[in-house]
Amino acid sequence: MDKDNSKTEKKPVTQDDVLLASLKLFSEKGYFNTSLTDIKDAVGIKTTSGIYQHFKNKQAIAEALYSNILDSLSISIDDIRRRNKKSSEQLREIVDLLFKLTDDAPEIMRFLLVVNIKEILPEHKNLVETAPFNKITRVIHNGIKNGEIRAIDALVAYNYFFGIIKHTLCMVLSGELSKTADSYQSQAWTVAWGSIIKK
Amino acid sequence: MDKDNSKTEKKPVTQDDVLLASLKLFSEKGYFNTSLTDIKDAVGIKTTSGIYQHFKNKQAIAEALYSNILDSLSISIDDIRRRNKKSSEQLREIVDLLFKLTDDAPEIMRFLLVVNIKEILPEHKNLVETAPFNKITRVIHNGIKNGEIRAIDALVAYNYFFGIIKHTLCMVLSGELSKTADSYQSQAWTVAWGSIIKK
DNA sequence: GTCTATACGCCGATAGAC
DNA sequence: GTCTATCGGCGTATAGAC
């Protein structure tokens, strides 16, 4: 023990370290304003070379980030659908999840909602076409079939509902709405649900 | 008349030519995926030098574009407010304007709604804080004062109302909603207005 | 896995002739 | 206002020693 290494311990940089640092930078400054040099600094290594141990290029970092986020969201939504019967309950819990994430992990939500993924990965699907948001649309679809939600096109209903939710979260994330997401949640839910419910 | 110059006439490139070409490219590929070389090609000159006659750098093009669009929008909104008394009528016409623009000049709306201006011009205000959208908020504020709109925070009302409108337009612009903006307008209006109206 | 060193391409930008 | 020519720099990426 030649030196105090209780905190300064030098552990090798992992993939997750790179992802975490990149997520933060991408969501703060945007993908194109973030250089590998920035990432390397945030991760705490001296050159960018170390990053290429884990990712073949800069795009691959964004890809990994995006698919990680979508996967974990998808799993959460599966879980929600399993635990709840009614569409209203399922949507309610999904909204709850998104608002919580906005307060607890704003970088994730900023990356998901603010960063324009098609500008980074032109080949990638739109948000609506990804697994988790497909599932949300399916929840809405079911709600229409069983009469909870009024009979309009499921995508259009998704559009109204999620338009309100997403805009609320974006305004919180950008600071245009100054309080926590949590404090807007119940109102936003009521209005969003009200916009598609069968009266 | 040594050659046919009825169409091939060589007129000097104007500021507007540059702006128009840039708008198209920015809205299609994004600001960062568009190089001055791309712009120069689209404008039809041989080198990028010509561009510097009109703009001091690439950012300045985006700035000019953005402020032009905001200015013209602002003027239209002033006009709408002058011609209509009730908040509902004013909002109705503003929505009409935005939907028409989406069908007739999608590049403009894509630049306004999809392009993340803060990534290009970090110093710039958020969309809500710009003149035209400030005016929309003021319209809503008046609607609350005179009892057309229910008594909630004006920004929150703006959020609900514009969340639906913006999301609809974005989905049309990205092709996720496949028909023209026009065909979604009356429904979207009804729902958006319904989300803030005093019952 | 991290370092030194380095390559290289692209892009933004300028100088100066026409 | 457009051209030729050219520059500097940044950012990505690789080779190879430790």
Side-chain angles (χ1 to χ4, degrees), chain A residues 76-92:
Chain A
S76 301
I77 291 178
D78 286 339
D79 188 49
I80 288 174
R81 294 182 74 185
R82 212 174 300 117
R83 288 202 323 273
N84 296 279
K85 290 273 166 56
K86 295 172 65 177
S87 299
S88 61
E89 291 165 350
Q90 292 177 345
L91 284 177
R92 187 73 186 76

Side-chain angles (χ1 to χ4, degrees), chain B residues 168-186:
Chain B
T168 304
L169 298 180
C170 283
M171 285 184 76
V172 169
L173 288 169
S174 69
E176 294 160 289
L177 286 175
S178 53
K179 293 189 276 182
T180 61
D182 181 64
S183 52
Y184 301 103
Q185 181 181 340
S186 94

Side-chain angles (χ1 to χ4, degrees), chain A:
Chain A
M1 272 151 255
D2 34 5
K3 53 163 85 172
D4 169 22
N5 61 356
S6 61
K7 281 198 76 163
T8 335
E9 206 172 346
K10 208 158 204 165
K11 31 182 179 184
V13 166
T14 68
Q15 238 189 17
D16 277 354
D17 293 330
V18 176
L19 287 178
L20 218 60
S22 302
L23 173 63
K24 187 152 181 286
L25 289 165
F26 291 169
S27 83
E28 272 168 8
K29 317 196 300 174
Y31 176 84
F32 294 100
N33 291 323
T34 302
S35 68
L36 287 179
T37 308
D38 295 331
I39 297 175
K40 155 222 113 186
D41 288 340
V43 140
I45 52 179
K46 286 238 174 107
T47 63
T48 60
S49 309
I51 297 173
Y52 292 96
Q53 295 286 325
H54 303 293
F55 301 96
K56 84 170 207 291
N57 57 30
K58 190 183 169 187
Q59 272 203 11
I61 301 177
E63 263 168 49
L65 267 179
Y66 202 59
S67 82
N68 283 359
I69 294 176
L70 291 180
D71 284 352
S72 113
L73 213 54
S74 208
I75 291 173
S76 301
I77 291 178
D78 286 339
D79 188 49
I80 288 174
R81 294 182 74 185
R82 212 174 300 117
R83 288 202 323 273
N84 296 279
K85 290 273 166 56
K86 295 172 65 177
S87 299
S88 61
E89 291 165 350
Q90 292 177 345
L91 284 177
R92 187 73 186 76
E93 276 215 44
I94 290 170
V95 166
D96 193 56
L97 170 66
L98 296 176
F99 274 73
K100 274 204 174 42
L101 271 175
T102 301
D103 283 332
D104 299 344
E107 330 78 39
I108 293 181
M109 291 304 285
R110 217 171 279 130
F111 189 79
L112 193 66
L113 299 182
V114 180
V115 171
N116 193 344
I117 199 67
K118 291 212 101 170
E119 199 174 338
I120 304 175
L121 315 167
E123 309 298 307
H124 211 286
K125 302 168 187 167
N126 292 316
L127 191 59
V128 206
E129 290 156 352
T130 61
F133 290 87
N134 243 315
K135 286 171 184 170
I136 296 182
T137 309
R138 224 168 303 149
V139 169
I140 291 179
H141 190 76
N142 290 335
I144 295 171
K145 275 212 313 213
N146 68 31
E148 285 185 83
I149 298 171
R150 64 179 205 280
I152 50 179
D153 183 285
L155 251 188
V156 171
Y158 166 87
N159 171 41
Y160 298 150
F161 183 83
F162 204 64
I164 290 175
I165 300 303
K166 179 177 172 183
H167 205 254
T168 304
L169 298 179
C170 283
M171 286 184 77
V172 169
L173 288 168
S174 69
E176 294 160 290
L177 286 175
S178 52
K179 294 190 277 183
T180 61
D182 181 64
S183 53
Y184 300 104
Q185 182 181 338
S186 93
Q187 294 265 351
W189 156 260
T190 305
V191 176
W193 177 247
S195 78
I196 58 172
I197 193 178
K198 191 168 200 167
K199 317 238 156 95

Side-chain angles (χ1 to χ4, degrees), chain B residues 41-105:
Chain B
D41 288 341
V43 140
I45 52 179
K46 285 236 173 109
T47 63
T48 59
S49 309
I51 298 174
Y52 291 96
Q53 295 287 325
H54 302 295
F55 301 96
K56 84 170 207 290
N57 56 32
K58 190 183 168 187
Q59 273 203 12
I61 300 178
E63 263 167 50
L65 266 179
Y66 202 59
S67 81
N68 283 0
I69 293 176
L70 291 180
D71 284 352
S72 113
L73 213 54
S74 208
I75 291 174
S76 300
I77 292 178
D78 285 339
D79 187 49
I80 289 173
R81 294 182 74 186
R82 212 174 300 117
R83 288 202 323 273
N84 296 279
K85 289 274 165 58
K86 295 172 67 177
S87 299
S88 61
E89 292 164 351
Q90 293 176 344
L91 283 177
R92 186 75 185 75
E93 277 216 41
I94 291 171
V95 166
D96 193 56
L97 171 65
L98 296 176
F99 274 72
K100 275 206 171 44
L101 271 175
T102 301
D103 283 333
D104 299 344

